[in-house]
């Protein structure tokens, strides 16, 4: 029975470690945003969000062990998104008045 | 891998079947990235053009609800990922429990969101004739309601998808596809959280 319990924990150990990291990042990003006068707040918030998303996608969504085809499809969605955001923003950034 | 996994038409073997489900769901999720991406594009432009007013409007959100709901979703994703691994190890009862926990957490998210919406409404933060603030502030709140509303609809669908496999206790390959959908809804929230609750603080 004891051996069975140990392996039960062993099975869910990777998701639990990921969860711990994600909660630490949540606490970090929230406290940094409320820190008076801290620099680069938008970049920090976006960077930590990206890190959290990467942890979820690599461990929970198992992209780490996925095939090349699946990874390609997953990355392409975000590549189109990057194009959409960059080009929309460039339009406004380059307007003269 | 496990005796409980059944081979369905039109797949020739279990490996291809798993890959097919995974690829199909990721393809759908890539379209979802662009669905939410369109919304985020409006956010990026407005925040770029009117940084001060946008920060003022964002300061009206209630971060306590946001933090609580982020933690709830992260916990639920962990429960789903655990359920998936337990299913593969043949521990169906524990996996079922994990799925139910995720469903309960999903409902908890919606309840918290409900309280938050009621709070927002009472403070006149719904865009429209009764909105308290400038048109640019209103555009932040239009994003807030649209994005969180669309996210909530996805969550309701996710609870249904997980509840169905938890109820029938069938560890099919479709559990993996459903789990991917659930984690994606979590990823969307991970980006919504700082965009809505952490702007203009401190």
């Amino acid at each position: 029975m004891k051996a069975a319990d140990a392996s039960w924990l062993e099975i869910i150990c990777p998701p639990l470690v990921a969860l711990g990291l994600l909660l630490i990042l949540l606490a970090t990003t929230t406290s940094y945003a409320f820190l008076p006068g801290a620099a680069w707040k938008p970049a920090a918030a976006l960077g930590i969000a990206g890190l959290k998303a990467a942890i979820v996608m690599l461990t929970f969504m198992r992209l780490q062990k996925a095939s090349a085809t699946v990874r390609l499809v997953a990355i392409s969605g975000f590549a189109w998104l990057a194009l959409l955001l960059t080009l929309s923003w460039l339009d406004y950034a380059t307007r003269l008045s | 891998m496990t005796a409980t996994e059944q081979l369905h038409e039109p797949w020739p073997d279990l490996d291809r079947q798993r890959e097919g489900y995974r690829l199909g769901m990721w393809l759908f999720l890539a379209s979802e990235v662009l669905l939410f991406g369109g919304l985020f594009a409006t956010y990026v432009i407005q925040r770029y053009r009117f940084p001060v007013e946008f920060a003022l409007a964002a300061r009206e959100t209630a971060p306590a609800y946001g933090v609580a709901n982020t933690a709830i979703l992260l916990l639920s994703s962990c429960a789903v990922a655990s359920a998936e691994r337990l299913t593969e190890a043949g521990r169906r009862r524990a996996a079922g429990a994990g799925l139910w926990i995720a469903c309960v957490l999903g409902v908890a998210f919606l309840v918290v969101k409900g309280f938050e919406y009621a709070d927002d409404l009472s403070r006149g933060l719904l865009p429209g004739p009764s909105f308290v603030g400038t048109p640019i502030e209103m555009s932040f709140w239009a994003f807030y309601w649209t994005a969180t509303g669309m996210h909530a609809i996805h969550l309701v669908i996710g609870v249904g998808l997980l509840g169905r496999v938890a109820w029938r206790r069938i560890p099919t390959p479709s559990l993996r596809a459903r789990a991917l959908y659930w984690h994606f809804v979590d990823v969307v929230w991970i980006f919504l959280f700082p965009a809505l609750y952490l702007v203009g603080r401190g």
Side-chain angles (χ1 to χ4, degrees):
Chain A
M1 203 60 206
K2 266 192 169 172
D5 278 352
S7 69
W8 181 81
L9 251 181
E10 220 171 283
I11 294 166
I12 64 164
C13 188
L16 283 179
V17 171
L19 175 69
L21 274 174
L22 287 165
L23 290 176
I24 289 169
L25 286 172
L26 169 64
T28 311
T29 190
T30 309
S31 27
Y32 192 75
F34 279 87
L35 211 65
W40 296 92
K41 279 187 181 181
L46 187 63
I48 292 177
L51 198 59
K52 279 158 84 182
I55 292 173
V56 169
M57 288 193 283
L58 289 175
T59 57
F60 291 170
M61 300 174 93
R62 296 172 154 192
L63 270 188
Q64 209 173 6
K65 288 176 184 163
S67 69
T69 326
V70 169
R71 282 191 208 178
L72 193 67
V73 170
I75 292 168
S76 66
F78 289 95
W80 306 147
L81 176 66
L83 271 179
L84 171 73
L85 295 180
T86 314
L87 292 178
S88 316
W89 170 75
L90 263 179
D91 173 21
Y92 284 91
T94 53
R95 287 186 188 191
L96 289 177
S97 56
Chain B
M1 194 187 289
T2 54
T4 48
E5 196 162 337
Q6 290 169 350
L7 184 65
H8 300 285
E9 289 288 335
W11 312 106
D13 56 60
L14 281 174
D15 276 344
R16 293 262 191 100
Q17 177 170 279
R18 279 184 210 120
E19 183 73 356
Y21 273 87
R22 206 173 283 144
L23 191 66
M25 183 46 82
W26 267 110
L27 198 57
F28 169 66
L29 293 182
S31 79
E32 289 269 75
V33 167
L34 291 178
L35 171 69
F36 282 97
L39 270 177
F40 272 104
T42 66
Y43 175 92
V44 169
I45 300 296
Q46 284 295 88
R47 190 169 165 186
Y48 170 75
R49 293 176 72 198
F50 312 104
V52 177
E53 275 171 295
F54 227 54
L56 272 177
R59 220 176 274 184
E60 294 299 315
T61 55
Y65 290 117
V67 172
N69 265 346
T70 310
I72 286 172
L73 273 196
L74 293 175
L75 276 165
S76 76
S77 255
C78 178
V80 172
S82 303
E84 218 188 318
R85 283 166 167 81
L86 288 164
T87 302
E88 283 162 7
R91 293 171 182 260
R92 297 174 62 172
R93 280 190 59 166
L99 291 175
W100 281 122
I101 290 171
C103 285
V104 169
L105 287 168
V107 173
F109 176 97
L110 292 168
V111 169
V112 172
K113 201 74 211 151
F115 280 115
E116 187 183 0
Y117 277 162
D119 207 12
D120 298 333
L121 285 175
S122 71
R123 291 191 297 137
L125 294 170
L126 182 71
S130 60
F131 183 80
V132 205
T134 66
I136 290 157
E137 286 172 346
M138 190 146 62
S139 77
F140 172 86
W141 282 93
F143 173 80
Y144 169 89
W145 287 96
T146 316
T148 58
M150 210 154 74
H151 180 265
I153 291 169
H154 277 78
L155 207 78
V156 171
I157 294 169
V159 169
L161 288 175
L162 291 183
R164 195 175 139 80
V165 274
W167 184 259
R168 294 183 62 197
R169 291 251 191 102
I170 301 170
T172 57
S174 84
L175 169 61
R176 293 196 187 96
R178 288 160 199 250
L180 280 178
Y181 178 88
W182 187 265
H183 298 312
F184 176 77
V185 174
D186 191 12
V187 169
V188 171
W189 184 261
I190 283 173
F191 286 102
L192 276 179
F193 169 67
L196 297 173
Y197 299 96
L198 300 183
V199 183
R201 306 287 177 180

